[in-house]
Amino acid sequence: MHKNVIITGGSKGIGKAIALELAGAGFNIAICSRNGAEGNQLIAELQNINAHGQFKAFVCDVKIKQEVVQFASFVKDFFENKIDVLINNAGTFIPGLITEEEEGNLEKMIETNLYSAYHLTRELIGLMQHQKSGHVINMCSIASEIAYPNGGSYSISKFALLGFSKVLREEMKPYNVKVTSILPGATWSDSWKGVDLPESRLMQAEDIAKIVLCALTLSDSATLEEITVRPQLGDL
Ligand SMILES: NC(=O)c1ccc[n+]([C@@H]2O[C@H](COP(=O)([O-])OP(=O)(O)OC[C@H]3O[C@@H](n4cnc5c(N)ncnc54)[C@H](OP(=O)(O)O)[C@@H]3O)[C@@H](O)[C@H]2O)c1
């Protein structure tokens, strides 16, 4: 039976690259994003890759707990309570220094980058615990392990997400549920549009998608716990 995957923020960038890679490998996929048109466009692309796959997009703002709960309920119905992989990928980057950034930036990034993963995981993990199988992948960042320059509150939120991921890894060991933290450096996506740098200076979203597929295809006895991946020339 093909595995069912949920990707938050699956309509663009890294999330979209993961969806395309996993659709090609035979996974069924449900994504969420705020922009419904972009989500539906991706679903059409996935259906072209695998006409027999089950694919669905849901409109949801992961900053809002109630919408996360609705998304969880939607995917439980769509996949008939069998969820194999949850990829907490949605995130936002607002540059700034802790001391100078706009009031409210910390809250926005904590809500989008941390609480979304916390709440969605809590909604869905019971199914994986019951199945005694499953995999949660959290899209952290190099800003989860270094104080990212001009990324004050972003770093705070991504350090916290890595903390969440490490704790979840320990809690899930007895249930045979795997937990992986991915820490990418600069990866070409909309967040980098307009930056005066050649695209080749950054990693490609497809690079991260390949790591996800690798994590998902290891044997049952191996878990890729944490992986840091940077552009060949280092951080930006
Ligand atoms: N690109 C990098 O250099 C880099 C490096 C390290 C880590 N990361 C992490 O990787 C993840 C993906 O980043 P990306 O660069 O691929 O970003 P991106 O191109 O901006 O795409 C973000 C995706 O998340 C969705 N999204 C954003 N806010 C959302 C919200 N509040 N509710 C629901 N969906 C939301 C977006 O769709 P809508 O806008 O339609 O909602 C989109 O599908 C993030 O967690 C980011 O922090 C990125």
Side-chain angles (χ1 to χ4, degrees), residues 9-15 32-35 38 60-63 89-92 112 139-142 154 158 184-187 189-192:
S11 64
K12 286 193 287 226
I14 294 173
C32 74
S33 61
R34 290 163 301 179
N35 183 316
E38 285 176 351
C60 157
D61 185 340
V62 298
K63 273 202 306 299
N89 166 75
T92 194
T112 310
M139 201 54 67
C140 301
S141 167
I142 52 148
Y154 180 74
K158 289 291 184 177
T187 308
S189 73
D190 277 7
S191 357
W192 288 93

Side-chain angles (χ1 to χ4, degrees), residues 93-99 101 106 109 143 147-159:
F93 172 69
I94 309 170
L97 305 177
I98 292 172
T99 47
E101 67 191 358
L106 175 65
M109 282 186 275
Y148 192 66
N150 201 37
S153 288
Y154 180 74
S155 269
I156 298 173
S157 71
K158 289 291 184 177
F159 266 73

Side-chain angles (χ1 to χ4, degrees), residues 79-220:
F79 287 135
E80 294 173 349
N81 288 325
K82 182 178 182 294
I83 291 169
D84 301 292
V85 183
L86 166 61
I87 305 180
N88 289 311
N89 166 75
T92 194
F93 172 69
I94 309 170
L97 305 177
I98 292 172
T99 47
E100 290 171 20
E101 67 191 358
E102 214 173 278
E103 180 72 29
N105 278 7
L106 175 65
E107 288 85 342
K108 259 184 224 149
M109 282 186 275
I110 291 277
E111 284 161 3
T112 310
N113 302 347
L114 175 70
Y115 289 170
S116 60
Y118 174 81
H119 293 309
L120 188 58
T121 303
R122 279 166 51 93
E123 287 294 318
L124 300 177
I125 202 81
L127 292 176
M128 295 184 183
Q129 288 173 295
H130 183 69
Q131 288 163 187
K132 288 250 183 257
S133 71
H135 199 149
V136 180
I137 298 182
N138 295 308
M139 201 54 67
C140 301
S141 167
I142 52 148
S144 297
E145 59 179 9
I146 62 160
Y148 192 66
N150 201 37
S153 288
Y154 180 74
S155 269
I156 298 173
S157 71
K158 289 291 184 177
F159 266 73
L161 182 64
L162 179 59
F164 161 75
S165 200
K166 282 175 185 283
V167 173
L168 190 68
R169 162 74 178 131
E170 293 311 311
E171 290 186 9
M172 287 304 111
K173 277 179 184 169
Y175 297 97
N176 196 37
V177 173
K178 300 184 183 194
V179 180
T180 298
S181 312
I182 302 184
L183 285 69
T187 308
W188 189 259
S189 73
D190 277 7
S191 357
W192 288 93
K193 268 189 188 150
V195 174
D196 189 18
L197 282 168
E199 213 177 303
S200 58
R201 176 65 180 82
L202 287 79
M203 293 184 289
Q204 298 302 303
E206 292 73 21
D207 292 319
I208 314 304
K210 284 177 189 159
I211 292 169
V212 169
L213 183 59
C214 170
L216 294 180
T217 48
L218 297 181
S219 77
D220 285 350

